[in-house]
Amino acid sequence: MFDSEFSSIEFAGMKLANRFAVAPMTRVSAQSNGRASDLMQEHYKRYAEGGFALVITEGIYPDQDASQGYENQPGLADALQGESWRPIVREVHESGAKIIAQLMHVGAQMQFNRFGKQPLGITDQKPVGKPLGLYGDQEAWQDAKAMDESDFERVLNGFLHGIRNAAEAGFDGVELHAANGYLLNELLSTHFNTRDDKWGGDMRRRAQFVLDVVKAAREMVADDFVLGIRLSQITITDPDYQWPEGEEGFTWLVQALSDAGIDYIHTTDNEANRPALKDSTRSLAEVVRDAGIPLIVNGGIDASNYAKMAAHYPGALLALGKAALADPQFVNKVKDGDKPDELDFAMLQPIANLENEMRWREEQQSS
Ligand SMILES: Cc1cc2nc3c(=O)[nH]c(=O)nc-3n(C[C@H](O)[C@H](O)[C@H](O)COP(=O)(O)O)c2cc1C
């Protein structure tokens, strides 16, 4: 088929076999020291073998400070953690896909930190709702420490450190996690960011640190190392949050990120096409598409709607979370006209780690 979602495409400098990406998904399955496990190798390889042209990893912590958020979350904060990703990167490459490391600083949403750090927040504001049972058994959010100037500097250096380790490990690029209520997203959010210094105020001011990280990263990495960013308004516990600046503020933000040197913008929402912004009829993804910036679109894409999404967002990658989780062979199957498996949340119980998924899959096979 000519120019379909199954044809190869040049995206953000990468030559990809098709337009399907695996969305980042935290699986809390690393070793307790933050090194990637053998099970993770199997896990990521499945997606490349299943036809996904791009694998975006789960959120990885970049420093030994307050960036880790979950027990058994993998890191890229030390050389041995970096080494532990090498076989994963190699296997994914050998299976014909590219792989990008999502780097995340957990911010105030911390549920576990092996360095014993208190959560770092933009202010001392807690996230709404409760911690996620999918990732551990913490009952309530901890008090966050509001960041001071030295914290901003340490966080910036932490991201740069993680990016260097990702490049060293052979990743094709990194994706800065500025979605879902984690630290870079908290800066953009007026729920968290009520600062009255240079880091707070309107969207331009709230985005300043995010832009500083992007510019510093761009200066540091090689031209062919992909630098992406993931953005959302919603958080893991607040599906209704909206930026007060609406479409105008978001349009400014995507252009500023592009000017700062970002290679792609990955939007995520409950439903990729929903009008998301205050007083606007457009989705987050439509704003990025219309700005002509390379787009990865995510949110509710599955076998019933991927073709429509591919047509609605020409040239964009389609990132699949739950649909990929349900069936790592998703791309191969839909391409052949077969029906992929649907998600059974039992595979993520009692927590979303790979051991539970593998046990669930074995039970399915034997029943
Ligand atoms: C188990 C699980 C873990 C997730 N972990 C992450 C993560 O580490 N980073 C991230 O940006 N999004 C994470 N997400 C969100 C997904 O990437 C995606 O945005 C969400 O599932 C909606 O897309 P979907 O409808 O295709 O599933 C996670 C989702 C699930 C189900």
Side-chain angles (χ1 to χ4, degrees):
M1 245 186 296
F2 177 69
D3 208 20
S4 89
E5 53 276 20
F6 299 106
S7 306
S8 62
I9 184 172
E10 175 100 11
F11 180 84
M14 292 180 285
K15 186 125 180 70
L16 299 176
N18 57 51
R19 288 169 56 195
F20 290 91
V22 183
M25 281 181 285
T26 289
R27 301 309 304 271
V28 289
S29 297
Q31 303 172 52
S32 55
N33 55 19
R35 291 178 209 157
S37 60
D38 292 346
L39 212 46
M40 287 166 64
Q41 198 172 320
E42 288 307 304
H43 164 68
Y44 283 114
K45 188 171 122 182
R46 288 183 303 171
Y47 293 118
E49 288 177 343
F52 287 91
L54 176 67
V55 173
I56 306 173
T57 70
E58 61 204 285
I60 302 173
Y61 62 88
D63 64 38
Q64 299 191 349
D65 198 7
S67 62
Q68 181 187 4
Y70 302 115
E71 192 164 11
N72 296 112
Q73 182 189 357
L76 269 169
D78 67 47
L80 291 174
Q81 289 174 350
E83 279 297 313
S84 73
W85 281 100
R86 278 183 173 276
I88 298 178
V89 171
R90 191 182 56 240
E91 297 263 16
V92 169
H93 282 163
E94 281 174 7
S95 303
K98 303 279 187 197
I99 179 164
I100 282 185
Q102 186 186 61
L103 291 182
M104 85 175 221
H105 190 301
V106 73
Q109 283 182 165
M110 183 190 283
Q111 295 191 204
F112 175 92
N113 181 284
R114 80 182 174 98
F115 309 102
K117 301 286 177 172
Q118 184 186 6
L120 259 190
I122 307 309
T123 57
D124 61 3
Q125 179 65 51
K126 287 189 182 156
V128 302
K130 291 181 124 210
L132 294 190
L134 275 181
Y135 302 142
D137 55 10
Q138 185 192 315
E139 288 289 323
W141 300 117
Q142 304 163 60
D143 289 325
K145 171 188 180 274
M147 287 169 71
D148 61 24
E149 277 309 305
S150 70
D151 293 317
F152 277 97
E153 206 176 310
R154 276 210 321 282
V155 170
L156 172 66
N157 286 330
F159 271 112
L160 297 181
H161 178 70
I163 294 169
R164 270 194 298 272
N165 284 338
E168 189 84 357
F171 282 100
D172 298 289
V174 292
E175 175 175 288
L176 300 171
H177 195 353
N180 302 354
Y182 297 106
L183 190 82
L184 295 180
N185 185 252
E186 287 168 21
L187 275 154
L188 304 176
S189 158
T190 50
H191 170 78
F192 292 99
N193 188 348
T194 51
R195 294 178 74 106
D196 54 15
D197 62 1
K198 68 174 180 172
W199 305 115
D202 64 9
M203 177 60 98
R204 283 164 202 257
R205 295 171 68 98
R206 300 198 307 277
Q208 201 48 58
F209 183 71
V210 180
L211 292 167
D212 287 353
V213 175
V214 171
K215 284 180 200 156
R218 184 77 276 166
E219 258 176 44
M220 187 184 76
V221 299
D223 282 352
D224 63 352
F225 188 78
V226 179
L227 188 61
I229 192 163
R230 191 172 219 221
L231 295 172
S232 70
Q233 288 184 113
I234 60 170
T235 77
I236 54 173
T237 57
D238 186 356
D240 300 317
Y241 177 77
Q242 289 183 307
W243 295 309
E245 294 84 1
E247 183 170 330
E248 197 187 334
F250 187 56
T251 303
W252 173 83
L253 177 62
V254 300
Q255 195 53 55
L257 286 164
S258 175
D259 295 345
I262 211 75
D263 290 312
Y264 73 76
I265 293 177
H266 182 175
T267 59
T268 174
D269 207 342
N270 302 324
E271 292 297 329
N273 269 351
R274 109 185 144 103
L277 295 152
K278 223 172 185 170
D279 304 324
S280 163
T281 54
R282 293 202 291 168
S283 66
L284 296 179
E286 284 166 347
V287 172
V288 178
R289 175 198 67 187
D290 296 348
I293 294 164
L295 165 70
I296 302 183
V297 54
N298 168 256
I301 304 175
D302 60 20
S304 72
N305 63 13
Y306 74 86
K308 252 182 153 165
M309 289 290 184
H312 192 65
Y313 298 102
L317 302 190
L318 310 175
L320 278 58
K322 292 183 289 295
L325 195 60
D327 197 336
Q329 285 285 332
F330 179 96
V331 180
N332 288 344
K333 284 193 183 167
V334 293
K335 192 175 173 189
D336 292 345
D338 295 335
K339 198 171 166 319
D341 300 337
E342 282 176 16
L343 185 63
D344 180 344
F345 276 98
M347 77 163 70
L348 304 177
Q349 301 298 329
I351 63 167
N353 67 18
L354 294 173
E355 245 173 54
N356 288 332
E357 178 187 339
M358 300 310 172
R359 187 179 321 120
W360 179 87
R361 289 193 186 281
E362 274 164 28
E363 282 165 13
Q364 297 305 298
Q365 268 168 6
S366 61
S367 67

